[in-house]
Amino acid sequence: MKQSFINDLQKIVGEQFTLSDKESLAVYGYDSTPELESLPGAVVLPGSTEEVSRVVALCHDAGVSVTPRGSGTNLSGGSLSAGGVVLQTSRLNRVVEIDEENLTATVETGVITSALHRDVEGRGLFYPPDPGSMNISTMGGNVAENSGGLRGLKYGVTSDYVMGLTTILPDGVLLKTGGKAVKNVAGYNLNDLLVSSEGTLGVFTEVMVRLIPKPPAKKTMLVHFPELEQAALTVSRIIAARIIPATLEFLDRVTIRCVEDYARVGLPLDVEAVLLIEVDGHPAVVEEDAAAIRAICEKHRCSFFQTAATAEEALKLATARRVALSALARVKPTTILEDATVPRSCIAPMVKLIQETARKYDLTIGTFGHAGDGNLHPTCLTDERDKDEIARAHQAFAEIFDAAIAMGGTITGEHGVGLAKKKYLPKLVGEAGVRVMRNIKESFDPKGILNPGKVF
Amino acid sequence: MDYEKLINCMRCGMCLPHCPTYKETFLETASPRGRVALVRKFQKGDLAASERFLDYLSLCLDCQACASACPCGVNAGELVAEFKCEKKERDGLSFMEELVLRRLLPHPDRLETAASPLKLYQRSGLQKVVRKLGLLKMFPPGLSRMEGLLPELPAQPLRRTLQEVTPAQGEERGTVGFFLGCVMSLVFSEASFATVQLLSAMGYRVITPKAQKCCGAPNMLAADRRGMEEMARFNVELFSSYDLDFIVTDCGGCGAELKKYGHHLGGDGHAAVFSGKVRDISQVLYEGRGLLGEKLKPLPHRVTYHDPCHIAHCQGIRHEPRQLLKMIPGLDYRELADADACCGSAGTYNIERPEMADRVLRRKLDTVLKTGADYLVTSNPGCLLQLKQALAQTEPQVRVIHLTELLQASMNG
Ligand SMILES: Cc1cc2nc3c(=O)[nH]c(=O)nc-3n(C[C@H](O)[C@H](O)[C@H](O)COP(=O)(O)OP(=O)(O)OC[C@H]3O[C@@H](n4cnc5c(N)ncnc54)[C@H](O)[C@@H]3O)c2cc1C
Ligand code: SF4
Ligand code: SF4
């Protein structure tokens, strides 16, 4: 990257926040996606919407690409840049307004998700989306990836909460979409179009999200099942009984073993599945739901059912799920965390298929995830130095994704397409789908400035 | 270096929000994930150990908050320290390092002669050297402020005044060896004396072998692995000659180092046994909490607790000190926000990187003031010095003391 261009960047954001040394570029060459790396030409950390606009305009004029980056925790290579400018939003970390009357929060997009949680929960309010990475992911990243979380089944995902966005378009112009009005049908719904655009249509600098009252009561349950099918059936039956738990999480046998090895939480090794269930709402309803859930679990031959009596106990019950990823990740150096999602009714066949595929390719794959919405995380434990095993892992995942699509599901429930899943996109959305997406991209960004090479 | 440890990092970023230097800068180069990547790229030959490269690594406080947060068991702080050690092994020690680390530290007598009387210590310029090398694992920001930092030194280091054997009071429940940290003995001898008194009151016969040497942590800070190993071997040998149930220390930094002897001295079976016996004082007191509880009398203070990195992150001890404080009748315990975030003392860090150390310290002080506590308890000499000095300047109403001092005050009523 030319020094004169770097100087221009420095004039906008300051020397301290413009990085172009070899070492810095090297560590901005990755995000949380395994195996992928790509060196940017410069990194900037603007401190205001205005600075973002000026950086993007400068890049637009110079024909240099811009890749937005929050905390770089996405799992699809979405924040990697090949020779362009990485624009890190971390310094845009102000809470602009919490409006307790209209129940909205407006924050800059570098605000960390869990910081927003803490802020609103202190006021008896609730922002439900809680991705596993919430202690470090940014709100901008959440919006750009339309992130989900453990509470997705009952409360939905990020897009269900985004009411307004401030976006810098690829030529540096500022666009405001949405607003505090709950009903709003003026023209195309640009807000929804921008959510999950993975940094390819604009750089978000502010987001306004909807808040809801914090549910007054919560109950946590942990259930063991000797048979996988019965666990899966339990999931369907709970929902058929018109109960929507806030959390309905699943661990398979491989994951259970690893969790037990790592954390010794007392899980029996002869069970095929563990469900972590949480119901919340009004105290009376919570009691009723918990009792009904217990009856359903027992009918489906659970071997163990425990309800937490206190908040501390609830934390303990949730330990197995909380440490699942750690437990798996420690087994082998390289951890490939995937995101295949199927309709709820297909959980049992999908988990079976994952287990068989693992056997066929001689791999260790543990599966855990959000059973309530069919969003599973098959996690392959491998070693990047073992090229043969890595190749087998890719083959295995290709088969798993094909199966997910065949079951009416998707290749990614929440991690996005980015670079990593580009090649699967046409299979999922069809040629027509890709064409519409390309046209949308073209109309927003004719020069291809923003996050080129991603999604399709 | 063990390449295995580096590739275990899956770049998930879970460590980032816990890293003090990332919180201040938002820079990937100042994050644990970035530091692991830098070292890894060096190992692979993609990056050279340029001045800038070393500058990035030296911003790490080695507080190991990242290790507590990492799902994969990666310890970025330790990896950076190991990298520095390996580099030092190739480059060799400087003259001053040689003098302090190899000639002075291994000989407590010479150290004490140098350090006391204080005037000699301060005037000889030795203080500067000692601090620069992190002998005291803990000096606050800026060399210029150094003189104001040292609390009044005790007339005699505890190592000189304490008898080798302190008998148990009441029924004897066992024998423990007491590992006397250099700084605890030299500067905080009252706290360490309280530690011994508490152990004795709990029914332990306390043996304090006089010949013991520094734990070796300062050597590790200066990336002098060989010096550390020599000290470790000596201490292991010395303590192994007694029949001890535990080896107790009230210095977080020593405890963390002593627990690693087994690992450092790989093949040495005695070292592993030694490390297996090491306990932080809070662990031993908590174990005997039934008996201790009977002896504690009311204290009316508002108290909060700062987790030293070397206790919380390096030894995983968080529960015991808090429970012990809560056992004191009448005490108003207030939890500190981000209690286990580094206070910025971090060995010689506050001398090498005063600007960052100040920023990290400022955060800590703000949280302390928010609790409204009039006593800030901690249990590592580095934190004690750093926080004592900082609060004495701006908030003299907040007293900073070692856990055992408060417990002893409660026991004495
Ligand atoms: C351990 C772990 C657990 C995870 N758990 C979940 C989970 O439960 N659910 C889930 O959905 N995801 C999960 N993720 C994935 C990831 O954390 C989310 O995608 C998150 O939203 C990314 O946030 P980020 O700030 O790190 O964004 P980044 O990774 O930095 O960026 C992600 C994408 O968003 C774009 N982007 C970032 N900021 C902006 C902006 N201001 N304007 C425009 N575009 C922008 C980037 O260009 C990139 O394409 C997990 C990841 C890890 C490592
Ligand atoms: S050091 Fe651990 S927590 Fe940090 S990025 Fe690597 S694996 Fe994740
Ligand atoms: S040891 Fe502390 S300063 Fe160093 S990387 Fe880890 S958390 Fe950050």
Side-chain angles (χ1 to χ4, degrees):
Chain A
M1 195 158 274
K2 273 204 235 117
Q3 188 55 43
S4 59
F5 182 74
I6 306 259
N7 292 347
D8 290 342
L9 288 172
Q10 284 180 354
K11 272 183 221 138
I12 301 172
V13 296
E15 206 176 315
Q16 194 189 348
F17 299 113
T18 309
L19 318 170
S20 57
D21 57 286
K22 221 172 34 206
E23 290 79 10
S24 292
L25 298 183
V27 298
Y28 281 94
Y30 57 74
D31 51 29
S32 295
T33 319
E35 300 174 74
L36 290 185
E37 285 203 21
S38 163
L39 280 190
V43 180
V44 291
L45 290 86
S48 66
T49 296
E50 203 229 314
E51 284 182 12
V52 173
S53 158
R54 289 172 61 200
V55 166
V56 175
L58 177 73
C59 291
H60 184 260
D61 291 347
V64 174
S65 74
V66 179
T67 296
R69 176 177 171 115
S71 297
T73 68
N74 75 88
L75 294 159
S76 49
S79 56
L80 301 186
S81 159
V85 170
V86 165
L87 186 158
Q88 184 182 341
T89 59
S90 307
R91 287 179 64 227
L92 302 172
N93 61 354
R94 284 163 287 253
V95 174
V96 179
E97 179 198 50
I98 294 182
D99 180 343
E100 299 195 30
E101 272 172 32
N102 287 304
L103 294 188
T104 61
T106 307
V107 298
E108 292 187 326
T109 45
V111 164
I112 302 295
T113 315
S114 67
L116 176 64
H117 287 156
R118 273 194 303 278
D119 218 339
V120 301
E121 282 172 33
R123 303 162 193 244
L125 295 171
F126 192 38
Y127 173 69
D130 60 341
S133 51
M134 64 186 186
N135 287 329
I136 182 62
S137 70
T138 63
M139 288 299 291
N142 287 180
V143 174
E145 298 283 8
N146 191 11
S147 296
L150 264 59
R151 301 193 275 244
L153 172 60
K154 179 168 179 179
Y155 292 105
V157 296
T158 304
S159 61
D160 296 309
Y161 293 86
V162 176
M163 294 186 72
L165 284 169
T166 303
T167 307
I168 299 301
L169 295 172
D171 56 0
V173 168
L174 186 147
L175 170 74
K176 276 200 183 252
T177 52
K180 283 188 185 170
V182 174
K183 296 183 175 175
N184 188 345
V185 292
Y188 291 170
N189 188 339
L190 294 179
N191 227 19
D192 277 9
L193 185 60
L194 287 167
V195 174
S196 84
S197 59
E198 301 193 26
T200 62
L201 301 183
V203 185
F204 314 132
T205 58
E206 273 183 26
V207 53
M208 181 196 296
V209 295
R210 188 162 67 87
L211 305 174
I212 60 175
K214 197 169 179 241
K218 182 167 107 172
K219 216 166 191 86
T220 306
M221 293 154 272
L222 187 73
V223 201
H224 304 168
F225 289 92
E227 299 153 83
L228 177 65
E229 288 79 4
Q230 295 298 323
L233 267 177
T234 302
V235 171
S236 305
R237 289 293 140 77
I238 290 174
I239 289 159
R242 310 278 185 271
I243 301 170
I244 310 289
T247 301
L248 219 179
E249 292 290 305
F250 162 88
L251 307 182
D252 82 337
R253 179 167 30 107
V254 175
T255 313
I256 294 169
R257 294 238 160 108
C258 295
V259 166
E260 202 40 37
D261 274 351
Y262 165 54
R264 308 237 169 264
V265 288
L267 295 176
L269 297 181
D270 56 351
V271 300
E272 284 289 325
V274 165
L275 293 181
L276 175 77
I277 310 173
E278 237 166 38
V279 284
D280 65 2
H282 284 285
V285 178
V286 164
E287 284 303 326
E288 246 173 61
D289 285 352
I293 288 174
R294 175 164 203 144
I296 295 171
C297 290
E298 281 169 356
K299 192 156 161 245
H300 290 284
R301 304 198 282 274
C302 69
S303 53
F304 175 84
F305 186 102
Q306 192 184 349
T307 313
T310 61
E312 223 165 85
E313 244 181 73
L315 263 186
K316 228 187 219 158
L317 289 193
T319 308
R321 170 63 183 91
R322 240 188 13 237
V323 303
L325 181 60
S326 311
L328 290 169
R330 281 181 198 229
V331 176
K332 288 257 203 115
T334 310
T335 307
I336 307 182
L337 174 67
E338 278 303 348
D339 189 27
T341 302
V342 293
R344 197 180 298 132
S345 58
C346 297
I347 291 173
M350 190 64 199
V351 172
K352 277 247 153 86
L353 181 128
I354 293 169
Q355 288 173 349
E356 273 156 26
T357 312
R359 218 166 302 131
K360 176 168 148 199
Y361 288 102
D362 192 19
L363 297 165
T364 311
I365 303 183
T367 304
F368 63 97
H370 322 309
D373 45 27
N375 183 197
L376 296 172
H377 293 306
T379 305
C380 183
L381 316 178
T382 172
D383 185 331
E384 60 177 44
R385 293 164 298 184
D386 185 342
K387 295 290 171 233
D388 182 58
E389 188 171 88
I390 292 283
R392 280 182 280 129
H394 288 305
Q395 260 171 319
F397 277 122
E399 284 184 21
I400 291 169
F401 293 145
D402 279 344
I405 295 172
M407 290 178 192
T410 173
I411 52 176
T412 169
E414 53 185 23
H415 293 171
V417 177
L419 288 173
K421 294 208 179 143
K422 250 165 87 164
K423 62 171 189 270
Y424 300 108
L425 189 71
K427 270 194 211 165
L428 193 70
V429 300
E431 291 307 326
V434 174
R435 198 186 72 211
V436 174
M437 288 189 202
R438 272 190 202 288
N439 289 343
I440 292 172
K441 167 77 177 168
E442 179 73 26
S443 74
F444 267 83
D445 185 13
K447 278 181 84 177
I449 295 296
L450 271 177
N451 214 1
K454 307 296 163 60
V455 186
F456 38 72
Chain B
M1 182 176 308
D2 198 350
Y3 197 66
E4 194 78 21
K5 286 194 200 157
L6 291 167
I7 68 168
N8 277 334
C9 171
M10 63 169 178
R11 310 193 291 211
C12 66
M14 297 292 205
C15 50
L16 269 58
H18 300 272
C19 174
T21 57
Y22 182 77
K23 282 194 278 192
E24 292 298 333
T25 62
F26 301 123
L27 296 179
E28 191 68 24
T29 46
S31 78
R33 178 170 69 175
R35 289 177 177 130
V36 175
L38 285 173
V39 175
R40 184 170 172 186
K41 287 182 191 301
F42 169 82
Q43 294 278 348
K44 272 175 67 185
D46 295 346
L47 288 176
S50 66
E51 206 164 304
R52 190 183 290 111
F53 180 93
L54 296 173
D55 189 64
Y56 284 142
L57 288 189
S58 78
L59 199 65
C60 171
L61 295 143
D62 196 13
C63 69
Q64 306 196 8
C66 48
S68 292
C70 175
C72 304
V74 176
N75 186 333
E78 200 171 79
L79 285 168
V80 170
E82 259 177 54
F83 170 85
K84 287 193 202 157
C85 274
E86 284 178 14
K87 185 165 182 316
K88 186 76 58 157
E89 261 156 40
R90 291 190 298 271
D91 301 351
L93 296 182
S94 73
F95 171 73
M96 278 306 190
E97 288 170 332
E98 178 78 30
L99 174 75
V100 175
L101 294 173
R102 295 282 170 76
R103 307 254 175 92
L104 200 55
L105 269 186
H107 305 284
D109 280 327
R110 287 189 209 163
L111 185 65
E112 283 159 9
T113 313
S116 109
L118 171 64
K119 278 177 242 92
L120 174 63
Y121 173 61
Q122 286 171 333
R123 279 188 191 158
S124 65
L126 199 62
Q127 182 186 40
K128 199 163 164 183
V129 177
V130 165
R131 283 184 175 171
K132 183 135 180 58
L133 290 168
L135 163 60
L136 308 184
K137 294 183 218 127
M138 74 282 322
F139 280 105
L143 283 163
S144 58
R145 272 189 258 157
M146 262 182 4
E147 305 322 312
L149 151 78
L150 271 186
E152 209 171 309
L153 290 193
Q156 286 280 332
L158 187 60
R159 201 184 65 90
R160 294 231 170 130
T161 55
L162 194 66
Q163 319 94 298
E164 170 135 337
V165 179
T166 307
Q169 289 168 28
E171 195 187 329
E172 188 172 308
R173 57 192 283 164
T175 304
V176 299
F178 183 47
F179 189 88
L180 196 48
C182 306
V183 189
M184 290 305 296
S185 170
L186 278 171
V187 185
F188 297 109
S189 60
E190 271 174 40
S192 279
F193 190 64
T195 302
V196 174
Q197 297 292 297
L198 282 163
L199 285 168
S200 155
M202 300 280 293
Y204 287 109
R205 195 160 76 97
V206 185
I207 299 182
T208 313
K210 288 300 177 84
Q212 58 181 275
K213 293 186 176 177
C214 169
C215 66
N219 299 73
M220 285 307 277
L221 262 178
D224 172 26
R225 179 185 287 277
R226 191 168 65 90
M228 178 277 298
E229 284 177 3
E230 278 167 20
M231 235 100 73
R233 251 181 231 109
F234 181 89
N235 287 328
V236 167
E237 186 100 352
L238 176 67
F239 278 82
S240 302
S241 64
Y242 300 88
D243 185 16
L244 303 172
D245 297 314
F246 303 121
I247 296 161
V248 183
T249 173
D250 56 6
C251 168
C254 297
E257 199 59 40
L258 299 176
K259 285 182 180 179
K260 282 193 290 202
Y261 278 5
H263 169 75
H264 286 325
L265 304 181
D268 185 338
H270 285 301
V273 173
F274 176 98
S275 285
K277 286 187 182 179
V278 175
R279 300 282 184 283
D280 182 65
I281 180 66
S282 66
Q283 294 178 297
V284 179
L285 296 179
Y286 183 70
E287 174 95 19
R289 60 190 175 282
L291 183 59
L292 182 67
E294 290 167 21
K295 297 178 189 286
L296 297 179
K297 300 186 193 70
L299 286 182
H301 310 314
R302 294 188 300 273
V303 174
T304 189
Y305 175 74
H306 158 70
D307 288 287
C309 298
H310 283 105
I311 301 233
H313 300 304
C314 302
Q315 302 185 58
I317 302 170
R318 298 158 196 270
H319 182 67
E320 293 86 343
R322 289 179 169 73
Q323 290 311 113
L324 289 168
L325 288 172
K326 287 179 188 169
M327 274 166 49
I328 299 178
L331 184 135
D332 176 2
Y333 180 77
R334 300 173 174 202
E335 186 59 32
L336 182 66
D338 293 328
D340 67 353
C342 182
C343 65
S345 85
T348 45
Y349 190 85
N350 38 21
I351 294 177
E352 281 156 21
R353 311 297 299 237
E355 193 241 352
M356 179 60 70
D358 267 353
R359 287 165 69 175
V360 172
L361 171 64
R362 190 64 249 163
R363 247 178 219 261
K364 177 59 64 180
L365 297 181
D366 289 345
T367 56
V368 170
L369 295 183
K370 275 211 187 97
T371 63
D374 50 14
Y375 276 80
L376 171 59
V377 173
T378 187
S379 41
N380 189 55
C383 310
L384 281 168
L385 274 176
Q386 165 94 333
L387 294 167
K388 252 181 203 281
Q389 190 228 11
L391 285 165
Q393 282 178 354
T394 56
E395 309 286 337
Q397 77 281 8
V398 185
R399 292 196 46 191
V400 185
I401 68 172
H402 192 284
L403 174 68
T404 57
E405 279 179 288
L406 197 70
L407 287 169
Q408 195 201 28
S410 161
M411 193 166 72
N412 293 346

